[in-house]
Amino acid sequence: MDSEFDRDTAVTLREPGVYDAELSAGWTIIQAVNGGYLLALLGRALGDALAHPDPFTISAHYLTPSVPGPAVIRTETVRTGRTLSTGQASLFQYAQDGTEVERIRVLASYGDLDALPDDVRTTAKPPAIPPREHCLGPSDGPAPIPGSSAITERLDIKLDPTTLGWAVGAPSGKGEMRGWFGLADGREPDPLSLLLTVDALPPTSFELGLTGWTPTVELTTHIRCRPAPGPLRVSITTRNLAGGFLEEDAEVWDSADRLVAQSRQLARAPRG
């Protein structure tokens, strides 16, 4: 594991079903640990605990904000079948008074992506994103992008300029975010890193004119196939903000024009 992502999502088996982990401050948004990074961390523990290697679907409920520092992950195998294994996992940290606090709980089904049939029937199309050299990243602006923090140094993101109105004080109101995605150290994508990818772009609420922390309440991710090497294209849309909550639907496409991951999350809208 020479990638920072692999080092920071490493888990150590303490006893059957129980893993120790260290949440890195390098994956924080403002002061909280990014939800996609947390999902990848629990995804790695489940991949070790279950009989099948690859996440197919994983649903997470974020109960309390996670902070950098030690954590423990407890896993449980719910069912092991011929093609799928189902398990659950929870991540805990200790509060200042020493009590254990559950941060996130997931339920997941794992299989073998390499054993899937080649048959693909789809009407989905890759998002129309300008070439990378015509897209913009945090370093292209005169000042840091609002809401950015340590995680931006670990990501190689170039956003479609048509979804960047919020960065210059002119949000489009469309609730769309599109861009190219990779890890800054050049690590190639795999099923585990896709769990990070679906929650790594700036929130669509920025293009709705709301800036600030947009905490995830629930996130479900489907991994459809093993991604080809090269940069990923990510498209995220929000159609409905109501009652202080919004949904985000994400699609991730690989360099071979395949839809490799999909997700939907419910998030709390920023109060700004």
Side-chain angles (χ1 to χ4, degrees):
M1 289 191 204
D2 4 52
S3 165
E4 188 170 16
F5 171 79
D6 291 317
R7 292 195 303 270
D8 290 346
T9 57
V11 294
T12 302
L13 183 64
R14 180 198 299 180
E15 58 187 71
V18 180
Y19 299 83
D20 290 309
E22 184 75 19
L23 306 189
S24 169
W27 303 89
T28 51
I29 298 292
I30 306 176
Q31 294 181 342
V33 180
N34 171 260
Y37 162 74
L38 291 170
L39 196 61
L41 189 71
L42 277 91
R44 190 180 291 281
L46 280 169
D48 183 79
L50 297 177
H52 291 86
D54 302 314
F56 275 26
T57 178
I58 180 166
S59 296
H61 285 263
Y62 295 81
L63 308 178
T64 53
S66 299
V67 295
V72 60
I73 298 171
R74 295 193 175 93
T75 67
E76 177 187 347
T77 298
V78 177
R79 179 182 182 275
T80 300
R82 185 173 60 85
T83 60
L84 290 175
S85 297
T86 300
Q88 61 184 11
S90 291
L91 183 146
F92 299 86
Q93 290 186 298
Y94 290 100
Q96 290 184 346
D97 62 3
T99 59
E100 198 173 65
V101 179
E102 187 175 7
R103 303 296 195 193
I104 173 175
R105 183 179 297 190
V106 307
L107 181 66
S109 290
Y110 275 56
D112 184 355
L113 289 171
D114 295 328
L116 294 180
D118 294 330
D119 185 30
V120 176
R121 310 179 197 191
T122 182
T123 59
K125 296 181 180 179
I129 301 175
R132 277 178 53 86
E133 59 268 23
H134 296 152
C135 292
L136 302 174
S139 62
D140 296 311
I145 290 177
S148 66
S149 53
I151 191 173
T152 61
E153 300 173 9
R154 279 138 194 92
L155 306 178
D156 180 13
I157 293 178
K158 294 288 186 178
L159 296 176
D160 184 338
T162 63
T163 66
L164 271 173
W166 55 272
V168 293
S172 68
K174 293 182 178 179
E176 299 176 346
M177 200 67 64
R178 291 183 298 275
W180 296 87
F181 177 88
L183 291 171
D185 61 10
R187 181 196 188 275
E188 295 290 1
D190 68 359
L192 198 66
S193 71
L194 291 177
L195 300 178
L196 164 70
T197 305
V198 298
D199 193 43
L201 266 60
T204 55
S205 57
F206 286 7
E207 274 294 87
L208 295 174
L210 300 172
T211 57
W213 188 36
T214 309
T216 302
V217 177
E218 188 271 345
L219 171 61
T220 294
T221 303
H222 299 160
I223 307 301
R224 306 306 303 268
C225 63
R226 193 176 305 281
L232 301 167
R233 285 160 291 173
V234 185
S235 173
I236 307 177
T237 58
T238 288
R239 298 178 57 199
N240 190 55
L241 188 159
F245 293 86
L246 58 92
E247 91 290 343
E248 286 195 338
D249 292 313
E251 291 185 352
V252 182
W253 295 77
D254 71 0
S255 59
D257 284 346
R258 298 178 306 165
L259 181 61
V260 295
Q262 299 165 280
S263 73
R264 165 166 280 198
Q265 70 169 278
L266 182 70
R268 188 181 295 275
R271 293 181 172 86

